[in-house]
Amino acid sequence: MIRVIMNRAIALLLPVLMLALTPWSDAMADAGLQALTVTTAPNGTQTYSLSLQILALMTVMSMLPAALMMMTSFTRIIIVLAILRQALGTAQTPATQTLIGLALFLTVFIMMPVFNEVYTNAVSPYAEEKISLNEALERGAGPLRTFMLHQTRESDIELFAQISGAQEIESREQVPFTMLMPAFVTSELKTAFQIGFLIFIPFLIIDLVVASVLMSMGMMMLSPLVVSLPFKIMLFVLVDGWALIIGTLASSFAV
């Protein structure tokens, strides 16, 4: 009954709203959308109206989570932390939210020099209206591009250059962003799994030793994971594992 009443109310209100908005829409049609303009300067550069700049900014903001994961150190860090949890044998400890939060704050710490350079060279001058939006984008992409190039392998760049059929690239600085981003992600995956392999080895040895001891004692029905878990946690605590892991991850991005 309530749904029927709401449908009737909407049906009655729609014509009223259409009649009320008709004069405003006619005026906008006559005047034109002045907010959506592109002004060409005498030197050939183009200046976009504020509404278009806000639209571009909102579009970029919607892609910010993907950019954070794929164009920063976040990918390598979260993969290494996930492999570490798997190696310890603790199914949900630390929790996934804890690992993501740790990876996020460690990413901010590692990327802070890059963010500061982007703010100094691009964001601050653009906010003070000293440079245009296009120039701000070019300046802001420079530090991030340098960071990604330092972490990307030559083989991965050559792979995507071959896939795309691009001409031979003379220098790394000439690599386009569309090619650099997938190459960077591929390199980050390789590096993360290499670090994860080195982390997994000590815990795997503990599992093998515990399993051999239990087999020799005839305790085949007892799961080796239950017995080895305290020993792995004890080893990780004694060697100050969190400091070693976080320090290794942070130093792996040093140029």
Side-chain angles (χ1 to χ4, degrees):
M1 184 65 182
I2 297 175
R3 184 177 299 177
V4 173
I5 295 174
M6 292 180 62
N7 292 335
R8 290 181 178 178
I10 293 174
L12 292 174
L13 286 175
L14 280 178
V16 177
L17 290 175
M18 293 178 63
L19 291 174
L21 291 176
T22 299
W24 179 83
S25 60
D26 293 339
M28 288 296 295
D30 296 336
L33 294 178
Q34 299 297 328
L36 306 178
T37 58
V38 180
T39 305
T40 303
N43 57 0
T45 61
Q46 292 181 336
T47 303
Y48 299 92
S49 59
L50 181 60
S51 57
L52 287 178
Q53 295 181 19
I54 293 176
L55 177 62
L57 179 61
M58 296 301 295
T59 304
V60 172
M61 291 293 290
S62 65
M63 300 178 63
L64 188 59
L68 176 64
M69 291 187 293
M70 298 290 103
M71 300 174 65
T72 63
S73 58
F74 183 85
T75 301
R76 183 188 306 185
I77 296 171
I78 193 62
I79 290 177
V80 171
L81 293 179
I83 293 177
L84 171 64
R85 185 175 66 178
Q86 184 71 24
L88 282 172
T90 54
Q92 296 296 330
T93 306
T96 302
Q97 292 85 350
T98 303
L99 294 183
I100 294 177
L102 177 60
L104 181 61
F105 284 109
L106 191 55
T107 298
V108 173
F109 171 77
I110 294 172
M111 299 296 297
M112 188 55 65
V114 179
F115 294 156
N116 288 335
E117 190 174 353
V118 171
Y119 179 81
T120 303
N121 297 336
V123 178
S124 181
Y126 176 72
E128 297 174 359
E129 298 183 355
K130 295 181 179 179
I131 58 176
S132 62
L133 177 61
N134 292 338
E135 187 176 355
L137 293 175
E138 292 178 1
R139 290 188 181 185
L144 187 60
R145 177 187 179 86
T146 302
F147 170 81
M148 295 171 65
L149 280 174
H150 283 302
Q151 307 300 328
T152 307
R153 293 176 172 85
E154 292 282 354
S155 58
D156 295 323
I157 296 178
E158 294 176 358
L159 171 65
F160 285 95
Q162 182 180 0
I163 293 175
S164 63
Q167 298 179 354
E168 185 177 354
I169 301 174
E170 298 179 358
S171 62
R172 294 168 62 90
E173 287 71 20
Q174 296 180 354
V175 178
F177 238 111
T178 54
M179 188 184 302
L180 178 60
M181 285 188 289
F184 171 76
V185 175
T186 305
S187 294
E188 288 294 286
L189 292 174
K190 291 180 181 179
T191 305
F193 276 92
Q194 289 175 356
I195 299 175
F197 171 77
L198 297 177
I199 293 173
F200 220 106
I201 294 300
F203 301 108
L204 179 61
I205 293 175
I206 294 177
D207 286 333
L208 292 176
V209 171
V210 171
S212 300
V213 172
L214 291 178
M215 288 290 292
S216 62
M217 296 175 63
M219 304 174 66
M220 293 177 292
M221 300 302 294
L222 182 61
S223 174
L225 297 178
V226 177
V227 180
S228 63
L229 179 58
F231 292 99
K232 290 191 288 187
I233 294 177
M234 180 183 65
L235 173 65
F236 192 70
V237 172
L238 288 177
V239 300
D240 198 7
W242 286 113
L244 288 175
I245 297 297
I246 293 176
T248 300
L249 285 172
S251 61
S252 66
F253 291 95
V255 178

